[in-house]
Amino acid sequence: MSILIKNGRVVTASETYIADVYTKGEKIVAIGKDLNYDADKVIDATDKLVFPGGIDPHVHLDMPFMGTYSSDDYETGTRAALHGGTTMVIDFILQTQGDTLHNALKTWQGKSKGKAIGDYSYHMAVTDFNDDVAKEVVQMIEEEGISSFKTFMAYKGALMIDDGQMVQLMKVVKKYGGLVTVHATNGDMIDSLIAKNQAEGNMAPIYHYLSQPEVTEAEASGRFADMLEYTGCPGYIVHMTCEGALNAVRKATQRNQKVFVETCTQYLVLDASLYEDNFEGAKWVMSPPLREKKDQAALWSGINQGLVQVVGTDHCPFMWEQKKMGIDDFSKIPNGHPAIEHRMELLFSEGVHKGKISLTKYVEVASTNAAKIFGMYPRKGTLAVGSDADIVIFDPKKEHVISVDTHHMNCDYSGYEGMKITGKTETVILRGQVAIENEECHLKAGNGQFIPRGKTSKTVI
Ligand code: URP
Ligand code: ZN
Ligand code: ZN
């Protein structure tokens, strides 16, 4: 299969220009003015943007969590991602405490192989670190193409490791060229605030938000940065929500430290006023919770200052029936919301269209930086000769409205219902095949490939 995309505005993390793009097989073969190739398919991209497929490095597909499973599996989740212009996701494998990383890997291979439609990779969440697991960490990097290790500073009893384990893990990961990522919130503080609210009979979703104040995230982010500085390990804070946490990273830069930071679309565009005093707020019960307008402003400027390098989603959807597990107690509401589909369009509409970020910054945070940080650049994350032909053709003027009635995620509500968006994903190409056209997905379950990742370092960007 060969495709010639004519006259689009090509956008990369460094420039934009009008050009044609020619793909053959799975790769980009040529980019230039007035390319003269015979192609199986020609797409007129006049007045459209042509940018690299989005990479969402923070999704939870078919994940066991809080007594249930996230409602999108690899098939429905990667299909919805493709509809929105995300051609690759990185999901989280969870080690079961007391069990091995290899057993967890096998479980996640069973979830993804033959099911994924878009490309994927895995982070390995280390929830129980010891000498045997240390050996497995090395095998993951050297033999399995998994070079990023997720840690949790919260969710005690299920996922959390202590600071001693964290430091030992960082030492191994640094030595073998990997990266430690973190859910940075102070789990003990949060647990005590939850217990206090429960004791006082405060059971509505708003108390989820009130049990995780900004300080719990700011403190843990600073502590994580200190442990990275001590060990020299490269590190990445996932789903950062607030000014306080960003300031902890800003402070670390003053000793010339680099800590990678990811925020998520919801923290840029939604705020805590959604947690009213009724159960509706369960739709946005996620950890960390939504914050304030001042935090949105801090995150947008963090993106422009280069302190926030990646925008993901933390896609972790649950059906309304599942959310109702916490109808009498906010602490039992499964944490997470559906987001994988609209990341690229929301970020374009709220970011580029509203003048908060440039087009090149958009591509940088939605695709390129994730590819660089997670060891798959330039195969993924850019439009360049020799890169995978993962391409989005995007109409920057088309207006539409987000709704559960039209989304493709396996979730019976939308956290963005009725939101007006400017900019729409039109055609999506995944490794040289047309994945999305005319709002239909042309690829089947099993088309998605596992993308093994290489080593990384603090200086990749
Ligand atoms: O609420 C969330 N974020 N659910 C998924 C698990 C996590 O902490 O990322
Ligand atoms: Zn998390
Ligand atoms: Zn997550």
Side-chain angles (χ1 to χ4, degrees), residues 58 60 150 152 155 183 238-239 287-288 314:
H58 193 152
H60 301 280
K150 171 76 178 291
F152 292 89
Y155 304 124
H183 172 123
V238 306
H239 57 38
S287 291
D314 195 9

Side-chain angles (χ1 to χ4, degrees), residues 1-5 20-32 35 37-38 383-391 432:
M1 174 90 182
S2 57
I3 304 175
L4 183 58
I5 305 164
D20 302 343
V21 181
Y22 176 66
T23 75
K24 194 165 170 52
E26 297 201 340
K27 300 288 179 187
I28 296 174
V29 169
I31 304 177
L35 292 183
Y37 285 95
D38 278 334
L383 297 182
V385 172
S387 294
D388 278 4
D390 298 344
I391 304 172

